[in-house]
Amino acid sequence: VVSTQSTGFAKLESHLGSDRYKDILHLNKKIKVAFVIDTSSSMANDMDKVRTYIRELLEEQKRVGVEAEYTVATFDDTPGVRKAVFRNSENVENYIRNLRPNIGGDCEEKACAGITSAFSSNFLSLGSSVMFVFTDASSKDCGRTAKRIIHIFRYVKAPMFFILF
């Protein structure tokens, strides 16, 4: 169990104040959370940081009593995106604990494919969706989908946080 007192989340809450902090991270309602994770070989040294960030966020959600549904979408240098949907945070933690980077050639990161994959899992809900994208490179596949992604997020008023390594 991670102590929230030692996390960046506790520092952020202290800086913003409790109400604003809960609004920004959607910690005050029933929500749908998507984690889109780059599992390409270049993320090998960063996967523990990804796991820690997600684990701390899940702990923070538990602390304040958030009800959430979760989607985890992973992308790498291979065709296709893997996606899983969870109803509780313990299953998310077990899933990410077993994530491993796809060791091989480091080519085209497909973050937009991961983002759009999360859309199709009943992730989007007006005013109650939030997405976290973990990557170490710019996406190479957004040419045709960037406008659609922006339009959808504006329509449902969903924030998307990019955690870059």
Side-chain angles (χ1 to χ4, degrees), residues 90-155:
E90 291 80 16
N91 290 342
V92 174
E93 287 188 55
N94 289 335
Y95 184 80
I96 64 166
R97 186 177 303 119
N98 295 312
L99 279 182
R100 300 289 177 260
N102 181 17
I103 304 300
D106 191 30
C107 302
E108 181 175 293
E109 273 80 0
K110 298 176 176 92
C112 285
I115 292 166
T116 56
S117 174
F119 291 166
S120 63
S121 66
N122 197 25
F123 159 72
L124 296 173
S125 182
L126 191 60
S128 64
S129 300
V130 61
M131 183 178 286
F132 298 86
V133 180
F134 299 87
T135 188
D136 66 345
S138 59
S139 182
K140 313 296 189 295
D141 68 335
C142 287
R144 292 177 284 199
T145 58
K147 287 183 182 178
R148 177 176 173 254
I149 291 169
I150 292 168
H151 174 75
I152 290 170
F153 271 81
R154 282 184 180 158
Y155 177 75

Side-chain angles (χ1 to χ4, degrees), residues 4 9 13 18-35 54-70 86-90 92-93 127-130 132:
T4 56
F9 291 107
E13 182 177 17
S18 185
D19 290 340
R20 181 140 169 75
Y21 170 76
K22 288 178 181 177
D23 285 343
I24 288 173
L25 290 179
H26 286 255
L27 294 174
N28 53 359
K29 54 185 145 184
K30 186 171 181 169
I31 60 170
K32 296 186 180 204
V33 180
F35 298 112
I54 292 173
R55 193 172 39 251
E56 289 177 358
L57 179 62
L58 295 174
E59 275 298 316
E60 195 64 10
Q61 289 176 342
K62 285 181 204 174
R63 184 182 74 84
V64 298
V66 169
E67 290 182 58
E69 292 180 20
Y70 303 93
F86 304 98
R87 301 278 181 243
N88 66 61
S89 60
E90 291 80 16
V92 174
E93 287 188 55
S128 64
S129 300
V130 61
F132 298 86

Side-chain angles (χ1 to χ4, degrees), residues 44-60:
N45 293 330
D46 297 312
M47 287 307 294
D48 284 338
K49 294 175 201 164
V50 171
R51 287 184 196 95
T52 298
Y53 186 95
I54 292 173
R55 193 172 39 251
E56 289 177 358
L57 179 62
L58 295 174
E59 275 298 316
E60 195 64 10

